[in-house]
């Protein structure tokens, strides 16, 4: 036992499990090809212009980056037609979550979130000594009525992950609007839209036009998912200027690195690439959902680049042995559940064939 005592708040926190490295899996199972379908990265990569802008800027990396991320903010503001003062850029949107809890969660404050959802909400609330209040999903979807009922005097923040990770589902347009209208204005409503660009349904609430009317509303988006820049770490929040001012106080001065800022700027310009990825992904989403359903699995309706699959037989480890890395999760009533990132048609065909074989072979 170490004599150096860490803060009481972080005692119960389990480090995020990253699983085996791809290298380890390759050697352990003697595999030639590995398909990483576990982290919802863009299988089509990123805009080809990103590589160019990174090489052009390599000679400047001895300078500190722009601490105000002004070029990127100005581009985003034009792109969305929102004031520049309403943006803050983070080292991934994960950092945005941390800045929010750092600035607003005090000891004993409650933060409401779905169960299950993106795990970083809970962790960051706990780090600040807050109390996560977890409201079970209803058939894979946020139960906004129950989340509203969970509001108390102590509630400071509510997280709505829309679409939700890991289930891929969205909440209906009217339902979310009704919720935002009902939440008292002293409680922050964080709508995490990491998969915004993948959404195809019309029943999806556009939150940016609501910012003016609801100064307690915060929208989070990222360059890690459809923009394909997960390795560079750029995410952002859009919100009332008054909240941006508080978050800036708790952020690191140079939180977004030089190359990442340039990469995100040119990636934003290449909307052709984004539309193409969204279109291809939507086709694969329907294709794989149908195939897995036909194999007797339950698949939630996804608006993202991943599927949440419930299986009557355990398959996650068997899939790994065949070179398909998915994220295993437990869900009541099923032998196993997993989240799989959609691949190219070739990846997906190989996946469907392999899982079909595994189901035939397994005698459980
Ligand atoms: C991936 C993801 C993020 C974090 O993205 P970064 O910008 O890479 O930090 C945030 N929220 C959800 C729901 C995600 O799935």
């Amino acid at each position: 036992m170490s004599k150096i005592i860490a803060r009481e708040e972080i005692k119960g926190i389990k480090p995020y499990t990253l699983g085996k490295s791809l290298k380890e899996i390759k050697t352990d199972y003697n595999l030639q090809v590995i398909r990483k379908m576990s982290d919802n990265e863009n299988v089509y990569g990123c805009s080809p212009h990103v590589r160019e802008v990174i090489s052009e800027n390599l000679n400047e990396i001895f300078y500190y980056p722009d601490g105000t991320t002004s070029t990127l903010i100005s581009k985003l503001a034009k792109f969305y037609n929102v004031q520049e003062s309403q943006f803050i850029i983070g080292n991934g949107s994960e950092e945005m979550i941390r800045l929010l809890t750092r600035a607003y969660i005090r000891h004993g404050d409650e933060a409401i979130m779905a169960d299950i959802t993106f795990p970083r909400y809970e962790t960051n609330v706990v780090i600040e000594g807050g109390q996560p209040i977890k409201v079970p999903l209803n058939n894979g979807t946020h139960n906004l009525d129950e989340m509203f009922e969970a509001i108390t005097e102590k509630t400071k923040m509510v997280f709505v992950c829309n679409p939700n990770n890991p289930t891929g589902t969205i909440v209906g347009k009217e339902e979310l609007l009704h919720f935002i209208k009902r939440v008292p204005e002293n409680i922050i409503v964080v709508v995490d839209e990491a998969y915004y660009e993948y959404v195809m349904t019309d029943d999806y609430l556009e939150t940016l036009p609501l910012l003016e009317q609801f100064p307690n509303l915060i929208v989070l988006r990222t360059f890690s998912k459809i923009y394909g820049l997960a390795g560079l770490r750029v995410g952002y929040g859009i919100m009332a200027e008054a909240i941006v001012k508080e978050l800036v106080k708790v952020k690191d001065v140079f939180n977004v690195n030089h190359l990442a800022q340039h990469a995100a700027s040119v990636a934003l310009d290449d909307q052709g690439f984004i539309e193409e990825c969204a279109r291809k992904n939507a086709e694969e989403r329907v294709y794989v959902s149908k195939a897995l359903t036909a194999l007797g699995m339950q698949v939630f309706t996804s608006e993202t680049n991943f599927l949440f699959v419930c299986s009557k037989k355990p398959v996650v480890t068997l899939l790994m042995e065949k070179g398909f890395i998915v994220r295993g999760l437990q869900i009541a009533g099923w032998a196993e559940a997993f989240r799989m990132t959609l691949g190219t048609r070739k990846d997906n065909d190989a996946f469907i064939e392999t899982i079909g074989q595994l189901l035939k072979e397994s005698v459980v």
Side-chain angles (χ1 to χ4, degrees):
M1 276 295 272
S2 172
K3 285 187 180 154
I4 308 168
I5 312 295
R7 288 171 57 227
E8 184 68 25
E9 289 84 350
I10 68 168
K11 252 190 184 162
I13 293 177
K14 292 186 197 77
Y16 188 79
T17 39
L18 287 163
K20 288 189 189 196
S21 74
L22 297 188
K23 229 187 202 161
E24 279 175 302
I25 293 170
K26 238 177 174 169
T27 37
D28 287 4
Y29 300 109
N30 194 19
L31 294 163
Q32 302 296 323
V33 186
I34 289 206
R35 289 183 174 86
K36 186 167 178 261
M37 301 172 124
S38 51
D39 292 300
N40 304 341
E41 293 131 337
N42 186 348
V43 70
Y44 307 106
C46 65
S47 163
H49 304 307
V50 167
R51 183 186 291 266
E52 294 159 31
V53 80
I54 286 185
S55 348
E56 285 163 17
N57 283 279
L58 279 177
N59 287 335
E60 291 178 7
I61 54 171
F62 65 93
Y63 287 125
Y64 278 106
D66 172 7
T68 62
T69 53
S70 55
T71 308
L72 182 54
I73 285 184
S74 134
K75 282 208 168 176
L76 284 167
K78 282 201 189 76
F79 182 69
Y80 289 124
N81 198 19
V82 173
Q83 297 292 317
E84 291 184 13
S85 57
Q86 292 181 266
F87 284 86
I88 175 165
I89 317 287
N91 187 35
S93 56
E94 219 178 288
E95 186 189 21
M96 297 309 311
I97 299 162
R98 182 161 54 81
L99 297 183
L100 281 165
T101 53
R102 184 84 267 227
Y104 289 99
I105 298 291
R106 297 162 310 177
H107 234 267
D109 281 346
E110 294 177 352
I112 299 169
M113 62 198 71
D115 184 15
I116 36 184
T117 189
F118 192 54
R120 303 306 295 167
Y121 312 144
E122 175 174 9
T123 306
N124 281 292
V125 167
V126 169
I127 288 171
E128 301 300 338
Q131 185 70 37
I133 306 295
K134 296 172 29 172
V135 177
L137 295 173
N138 184 8
N139 199 18
T141 310
H142 278 65
N143 189 336
L144 292 183
D145 283 335
E146 290 290 316
M147 289 175 77
F148 181 76
E149 292 302 320
I151 292 175
T152 70
E153 294 276 279
K154 291 182 181 167
T155 307
K156 187 76 188 202
M157 205 173 275
V158 183
F159 291 95
V160 180
C161 189
N162 197 41
N164 188 41
N165 181 0
T167 50
T169 56
I170 58 147
V171 281
K173 202 177 192 169
E174 287 305 320
E175 207 189 329
L176 182 54
L177 181 60
H178 180 61
F179 179 78
I180 292 169
K181 282 181 179 164
R182 281 203 292 175
V183 174
E185 57 192 11
N186 61 319
I187 298 173
I188 291 174
V189 179
V190 182
V191 184
D192 184 346
E193 300 180 342
Y195 302 93
Y196 172 82
E197 298 83 0
Y198 283 116
V199 175
M200 288 290 168
T201 175
D202 290 335
D203 191 24
Y204 183 72
L205 185 68
E206 288 292 346
T207 44
L208 298 188
L210 301 172
L211 288 171
E212 201 154 335
Q213 192 185 347
F214 301 100
N216 59 334
L217 178 64
I218 293 179
V219 179
L220 302 184
R221 292 192 187 160
T222 182
F223 283 94
S224 296
K225 301 290 155 63
I226 204 167
Y227 285 91
L229 302 181
L232 285 175
R233 318 299 304 124
V234 192
Y236 54 101
I238 318 172
M239 63 203 81
E241 183 179 355
I243 297 183
V244 170
K245 283 185 170 159
E246 300 300 330
L247 299 189
V248 166
K249 293 182 197 169
V250 296
K251 91 168 181 68
D252 288 340
V253 181
F254 302 111
N255 60 332
V256 187
N257 78 69
H258 186 64
L259 299 179
Q261 291 191 34
H262 281 283
S265 290
V266 300
L268 184 69
D269 287 339
D270 193 352
Q271 285 302 311
F273 175 80
I274 302 305
E275 282 159 27
E276 180 71 6
C277 290
R279 188 187 59 73
K280 284 193 278 197
N281 178 72
E283 268 176 32
E284 295 310 309
R285 194 155 74 195
V286 174
Y287 182 74
V288 181
S289 299
K290 273 192 187 152
L292 294 182
T293 308
L295 287 170
M297 311 201 130
Q298 181 188 297
V299 184
F300 288 128
T301 303
S302 169
E303 291 292 337
T304 62
N305 66 334
F306 61 85
L307 297 178
F308 188 89
V309 187
C310 301
S311 171
K312 288 177 197 148
K313 294 173 179 174
V315 285
V316 173
T317 309
L318 298 172
L319 281 168
M320 184 164 70
E321 290 168 5
K322 303 276 183 195
F324 296 92
I325 322 297
V326 298
R327 177 141 329 235
L329 298 143
Q330 296 305 321
I331 191 160
W334 297 86
E336 209 166 49
F338 61 89
R339 188 193 67 196
M340 66 160 296
T341 309
L342 293 159
T344 61
R345 178 56 58 94
K346 205 170 151 221
D347 299 329
N348 294 334
D349 275 335
F351 182 85
I352 292 162
E353 194 189 318
T354 304
I355 205 165
Q357 283 293 336
L358 291 175
L359 291 175
K360 250 192 246 162
E361 285 164 18
S362 74
V363 271
V364 187

